[in-house]
């Protein structure tokens, strides 16, 4: 159980274009989803927390207009990288949590490799 | 968020037991301890979670002393496929955020 999927697994785009990444909880309803980015040989950095039906909460230093997050349902959250630039190239990982349970374990998706040319 | 400290790397051989100790001196009363495993270019995979004493599942054991200021992940009889980065995290109650440290890179050799 507790499977989280991401689509696409990898994407290559030109500078200036926007890219949407989907995160789905396949076998449970996720009240809360999280988005992380990870640079090569570095640890995961939390970008934002996404609650179903409300605005995402962004970590300090993360541009909310650059990284648009939508959590429209209990099984789907999307991250849109707007006007992507080469420095946005990274590994983006989402996680999903049931919410309102203790402990609220996070289950991670397989990640999306974004390369901006 | 409680800060965690782990060794940067550990080397082992196939068939050996690997123990990774994580320090979390400022763990809060309600915090749980969770360990994840991550392979290159994959998302972290949940290994085990506990609050106190000992927890065991089919993959690993987690030992937590009474003061809960540290925890030890034990991987029995590792194989080459256990080569990965292992993260220790605390939280999941008052604040659902997770703060990833550097993790421990475990390298298993034949």
């Amino acid at each position: 159980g507790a499977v989280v999927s991401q689509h696409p697994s990898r994407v290559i785009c030109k500078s200036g274009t926007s890219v949407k990444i989907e995160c789905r909880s396949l076998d449970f309803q996720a009240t809360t989803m999280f988005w992380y980015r990870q640079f090569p040989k570095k640890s995961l950095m939390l970008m934002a927390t996404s609650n179903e039906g409300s605005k995402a909460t962004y970590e300090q230093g993360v541009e909310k207009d650059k990284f648009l997050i939508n959590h429209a349902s209990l099984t789907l959250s999307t991250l849109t990288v707007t006007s992507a630039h080469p420095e946005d190239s990274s590994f983006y990982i989402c996680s999903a949590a049931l919410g309102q349970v203790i402990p609220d374990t996070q289950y991670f998706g397989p990640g999306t490799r974004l390369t901006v040319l | 968020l409680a800060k965690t400290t782990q060794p940067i790397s550990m080397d082992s051989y196939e068939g050996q037991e690997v123990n990774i100790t994580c320090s979390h001196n400022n763990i809060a009363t309600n915090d749980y301890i969770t360990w994840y495993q991550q392979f290159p270019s994959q998302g972290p995979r949940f290994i085990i979670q506990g609050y106190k004493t000992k927890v065991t599942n089919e993959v690993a054991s987690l030992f937590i002393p009474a003061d809960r200021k540290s925890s030890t992940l034990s991987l029995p009889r590792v194989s080459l496929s256990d080569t990965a980065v292992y993260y220790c995290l605390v939280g999941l109650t008052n604040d659902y955020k997770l703060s990833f440290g550097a993790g421990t890179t475990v390298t298993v050799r034949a």
Side-chain angles (χ1 to χ4, degrees):
Chain A
V3 179
V4 177
S5 70
Q6 279 184 243
H7 179 79
S9 58
R10 57 178 62 235
V11 56
I12 301 172
C13 68
K14 293 182 179 180
S15 185
T17 61
S18 294
V19 175
K20 180 185 285 188
I21 302 170
E22 293 186 348
C23 175
R24 294 181 184 275
S25 56
L26 299 183
D27 53 1
F28 67 101
Q29 293 187 323
T31 302
T32 308
M33 289 185 171
F34 303 83
W35 288 95
Y36 299 79
R37 65 187 300 182
Q38 185 175 33
F39 292 107
K41 298 192 182 301
K42 298 294 185 182
S43 189
L44 284 77
M45 290 175 48
L46 179 65
M47 299 175 64
T49 303
S50 165
N51 290 296
E52 187 265 340
S54 61
K55 290 184 178 180
T57 302
Y58 292 81
E59 295 300 298
Q60 191 172 10
V62 178
E63 301 174 55
K64 61 180 181 181
D65 295 330
K66 173 78 172 174
F67 300 98
L68 301 179
I69 292 172
N70 183 275
H71 192 161
S73 76
L74 288 173
T75 59
L76 173 64
S77 176
T78 60
L79 168 68
T80 301
V81 183
T82 62
S83 186
H85 292 284
E87 58 266 29
D88 298 323
S89 297
S90 188
F91 192 52
Y92 291 87
I93 310 170
C94 72
S95 71
L98 283 169
Q100 300 175 344
V101 297
I102 296 175
D104 197 12
T105 305
Q106 289 185 31
Y107 296 94
F108 289 81
T112 297
R113 175 77 58 192
L114 170 63
T115 302
V116 185
L117 303 176
Chain B
L1 294 172
K3 179 179 169 60
T4 60
T5 303
Q6 313 172 223
I8 294 297
S9 64
M10 296 181 72
D11 288 345
S12 184
Y13 291 91
E14 284 188 293
Q16 289 189 334
E17 179 181 82
V18 172
N19 296 306
I20 310 171
T21 296
C22 177
S23 298
H24 28 80
N25 290 317
N26 61 338
I27 187 170
T29 302
N30 295 330
D31 282 343
Y32 278 73
I33 300 157
T34 309
W35 286 80
Y36 288 90
Q37 174 193 55
Q38 187 181 28
F39 297 112
S41 297
Q42 294 187 28
R45 183 175 77 102
F46 173 86
I47 301 176
I48 199 167
Q49 183 176 78
Y51 183 80
K52 61 180 179 181
T53 62
K54 177 183 175 182
V55 180
T56 298
N57 60 22
E58 64 277 6
V59 177
S61 294
L62 178 60
F63 299 92
I64 306 169
D67 66 5
R68 304 199 329 122
K69 292 184 183 299
S70 67
S71 59
T72 299
L73 174 72
S74 180
L75 305 172
R77 298 180 299 280
V78 294
S79 63
L80 296 176
S81 61
D82 293 316
T83 294
V85 179
Y86 292 82
Y87 294 99
C88 159
L89 298 105
V90 297
L92 298 177
T93 52
N94 295 325
D95 186 332
Y96 294 132
K97 296 181 186 179
L98 289 178
S99 178
F100 280 80
T104 298
T105 298
V106 172
T107 302
V108 180
R109 306 180 192 280

